[in-house]
């Protein structure tokens, strides 16, 4: 595999876009300590998917973003792009095997977001790892050899050396695929065991659910039967209450008519009573007048008796006059007797009128009580009807 170029921007000390072309042969980067030579190797390791900040001499990924200097502001992201040649068909992963060159880009933002791209198309880190498995390039192998890497290889354990040998032989890709397949198989077996457990549990629950379903069906049937029966019952009850309410309303109207008639009779009786009172008052005034006239006649008679010894000469005339006077007195007494008889009759009529008025008042009170009872019965029936309708609607 041949590296064609490496572009760095905002990565560690490379604040501006820096592109390094790798020509045929040996490419060497020479410079004093601290000039950034190791940052180029770190950039290559980073774009290949390195996730350990300590491996690239950092503590966290934000350390790889240019943090500013006295003359430059910090950048918001770090970006590294590596371009490799595929003219020899080193990459066999479709669809990248058809491209003559492949560019891999990794971009990291200061807020923690990451982007991976292959040929400027967004992808996953796993896609980048799969592309480089065919080439023998990996962050875990000897593709990038640092200081002390040879010593670690010489002193490595046999199983660690085997990893490097497999990588150099080009079979690491198949081993990783085999391990991935094994992991998927183990995961599938575990999932199968869990599914079998779930199926067993579902089988146990199915019998219970079947019983519950049958109970629910019976409950629905009973509920429908109860609802139908209740509807028939409440329909009949509604009709009965409607008829009863109609009858009570007719009774109420009849009682109202009777109350109106009784009120009219009571008003008529009161008018008659007032008329009789006026007549009695008139008769009493007439009796008072007659009594006054009688008193005047009695006074005149007394005077005549006192003057009788003085009127001896006029005895004959006075006798005649007295006869006339006695006749007048008899007539007056008869008039008084007739007046007293009329007063007595008026008093009797007054008593009869008062008795009739009392009876009419009692009748009106009785009718009012009957109306109140009818209204109370009607309200009770309406409440009962409302309760029946509410219960029917709930069912």
């Amino acid at each position: 595999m041949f590296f064609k170029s490496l572009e760095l921007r905002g990565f560690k000390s490379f604040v501006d876009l820096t592109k390094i072309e790798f020509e045929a042969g040996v490419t060497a980067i020479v410079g004093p300590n601290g000039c950034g030579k190791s940052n180029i190797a770190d950039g290559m390791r980073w774009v290949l998917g390195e996730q350990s900040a300590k491996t690239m001499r950092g503590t966290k990924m934000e350390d790889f973003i240019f943090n500013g200097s006295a003359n430059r502001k910090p950048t918001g992201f770090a970006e590294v792009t590596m371009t490799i040649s595929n003219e020899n068909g080193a990459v066999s992963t479709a669809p990248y095997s058809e491209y003559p060159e492949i560019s891999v880009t990794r971009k990291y933002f200061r807020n923690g977001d990451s982007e991976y791209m292959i040929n400027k198309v967004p992808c996953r880190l796993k896609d980048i790892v799969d592309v480089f498995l065919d080439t023998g390039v990996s962050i875990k192998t000897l593709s990038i050899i640092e200081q002390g890497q040879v010593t670690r290889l010489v002193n490595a354990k046999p199983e660690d050396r085997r990893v490097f040998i497999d990588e150099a032989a080009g079979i690491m890709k198949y081993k990783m695929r085999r391990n991935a397949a094994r992991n998927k198989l183990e995961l599938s077996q575990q999932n199968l065991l869990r599914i079998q457990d779930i199926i067993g549990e579902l089988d146990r629950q199915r019998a219970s659910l079947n019983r519950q379903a049958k109970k629910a069906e019976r409950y629905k049937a009973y509920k429908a039967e109860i609802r139908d029966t209740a509807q028939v019952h409440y329909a009949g009850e509604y009709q009965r209450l409607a008829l009863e309410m109609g009858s009570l309303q007719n009774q109420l109207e009849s009682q109202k008519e009777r109350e109106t008639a009784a009120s009219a009779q009571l008003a008529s009786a009161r008018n008659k009573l007032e008329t009789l009172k006026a007549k009695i008052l008139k008769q009493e005034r007439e009796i008072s007048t007659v009594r006054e006239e009688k008193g005047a006649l009695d006074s005149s008679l007394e005077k005549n008796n006192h003057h009788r010894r003085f009127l001896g000469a006029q005895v004959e005339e006075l006798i005649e006059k007295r006869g006339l006077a006695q006749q007048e007195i008899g007539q007056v007494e008869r008039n008084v007797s007739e007046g007293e008889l009329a007063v007595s009759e008026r008093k009797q009529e007054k008593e009869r009128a008062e008795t009739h008025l009392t009876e009419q008042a009692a009748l009106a009170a009785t009718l009012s009580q009957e109306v109140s009872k009818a209204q109370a019965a009607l309200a009770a029936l309406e409440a009962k009807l409302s309760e029946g309708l509410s219960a029917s609607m709930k069912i």
Side-chain angles (χ1 to χ4, degrees):
M1 155 160 275
F2 178 68
F3 289 172
K4 296 188 68 174
S5 64
L6 181 69
E7 297 180 7
L8 304 99
R9 181 171 57 178
F11 181 80
K12 288 193 173 183
S13 59
F14 298 96
V15 57
D16 296 322
L17 178 61
T18 302
K19 185 175 182 180
I20 301 174
E21 299 285 349
F22 298 102
E23 301 294 340
V26 177
T27 300
I29 299 174
V30 181
N33 293 335
C35 68
K37 300 186 299 297
S38 299
N39 290 344
I40 297 175
D42 291 340
M44 298 176 67
R45 185 184 295 275
W46 189 68
V47 76
L48 291 176
E50 179 63 61
Q51 299 297 315
S52 175
K54 293 182 179 180
T55 303
M56 294 181 293
R57 298 170 294 120
T59 57
K60 54 186 178 180
M61 287 296 177
E62 286 81 356
D63 295 339
F64 304 145
I65 302 175
F66 179 72
N67 205 26
S69 63
N71 299 323
R72 302 294 298 270
K73 294 182 179 180
T75 59
F77 63 91
E79 181 179 8
V80 177
T81 301
M82 177 185 289
T83 303
I84 62 176
S85 175
N86 191 34
E87 294 177 355
N88 59 354
V91 178
S92 61
T93 303
Y96 308 111
S97 58
E98 299 177 358
Y99 297 103
E101 63 180 27
I102 300 172
S103 63
V104 180
T105 303
R106 182 177 182 180
K107 194 173 184 179
Y108 184 83
F109 296 90
R110 197 174 290 277
N111 61 1
D113 295 336
S114 294
E115 290 182 0
Y116 296 93
M117 290 179 286
I118 298 178
N119 290 344
K120 306 301 180 180
V121 178
C123 64
R124 302 171 299 172
L125 174 60
K126 183 177 181 300
D127 298 330
I128 296 176
V129 174
D130 290 341
V131 168
F132 283 104
L133 280 176
D134 292 335
T135 63
V137 177
S138 174
I139 58 175
K140 296 181 179 180
T141 60
L142 296 179
S143 301
I144 301 175
I145 301 175
E146 302 172 341
Q147 292 180 359
Q149 187 74 15
V150 177
T151 303
R152 284 196 297 271
L153 177 60
V154 172
N155 297 327
K157 297 179 181 179
E159 54 269 21
D160 296 333
R161 290 181 185 176
R162 186 176 183 85
V163 173
F164 297 117
I165 295 172
D166 292 341
E167 181 67 27
I171 63 174
M172 179 60 68
K173 170 183 177 181
Y174 304 103
K175 282 193 172 184
M176 292 184 68
R177 289 180 178 176
R178 183 191 63 184
N179 293 334
R182 285 179 178 177
N183 293 334
K184 288 182 180 180
L185 181 61
E186 291 178 358
L187 182 61
S188 299
Q189 290 176 348
Q190 293 176 1
N191 291 335
L192 182 61
L193 292 175
R194 286 197 296 269
I195 290 172
Q196 291 176 350
D197 294 338
I198 292 171
I199 291 173
E201 181 64 24
L202 292 177
D203 289 337
R204 288 191 295 272
Q205 293 178 1
R206 183 175 59 183
S208 176
L209 292 175
N210 287 331
R211 293 191 296 270
Q212 294 179 9
K214 292 179 180 179
K215 290 181 180 179
E217 291 176 356
R218 291 196 299 271
Y219 169 76
K220 289 181 179 179
Y222 293 151
K223 186 175 181 181
E225 184 178 356
I226 292 171
R227 183 177 63 251
D228 295 339
T229 305
Q231 288 178 352
V232 174
H233 170 72
Y234 285 118
E237 189 70 12
Y238 173 77
Q239 292 178 354
R240 185 183 65 80
L241 292 175
L243 294 174
E244 188 174 354
M245 184 174 68
S247 176
L248 289 174
Q249 286 179 346
N250 294 331
Q251 293 179 10
L252 179 61
E253 294 296 331
S254 177
Q255 294 295 336
K256 286 181 178 179
E257 291 176 358
R258 293 178 60 186
E259 181 183 8
T260 303
S263 299
Q265 293 177 1
L266 180 61
S268 178
R270 285 178 178 174
N271 293 332
K272 290 180 179 180
L273 178 61
E274 294 296 329
T275 304
L276 290 174
K277 285 182 178 180
K279 289 182 179 180
I280 292 170
L281 182 60
K282 182 180 179 181
Q283 292 294 332
E284 288 178 349
R285 285 197 294 268
E286 290 178 357
I287 292 170
S288 178
T289 302
V290 172
R291 284 177 178 175
E292 289 177 356
E293 291 178 354
K294 182 182 178 182
L297 291 173
D298 289 338
S299 178
S300 178
L301 182 61
E302 184 68 23
K303 288 179 181 179
N304 288 330
N305 289 330
H306 286 296
H307 293 287
R308 187 172 48 185
R309 61 180 177 270
F310 300 105
L311 300 175
Q314 300 177 358
V315 171
E316 294 296 335
E317 185 180 356
L318 289 174
I319 290 171
E320 292 178 2
K321 290 182 178 181
R322 187 179 64 177
L324 295 174
Q326 287 178 349
Q327 290 177 1
E328 291 179 0
I329 290 171
Q331 184 65 36
V332 170
E333 287 178 349
R334 284 191 297 272
N335 291 336
V336 171
S337 297
E338 290 176 358
E340 289 178 351
L341 180 61
V343 169
S344 178
E345 291 177 355
R346 296 298 183 272
K347 287 183 177 181
Q348 291 177 0
E349 290 180 0
K350 177 183 178 182
E351 291 175 356
R352 286 194 297 270
E354 289 178 350
T355 303
H356 183 68
L357 180 62
T358 304
E359 292 176 354
Q360 293 298 325
L363 178 60
T366 302
L367 291 175
S368 178
Q369 292 177 358
E370 291 179 359
V371 170
S372 299
K373 291 180 181 179
Q375 289 177 347
L378 179 60
L381 287 174
E382 288 178 349
K384 187 175 180 181
L385 179 59
S386 299
E387 291 177 0
L389 291 175
S390 300
S392 176
M393 291 176 68
K394 290 181 180 178
I395 292 176

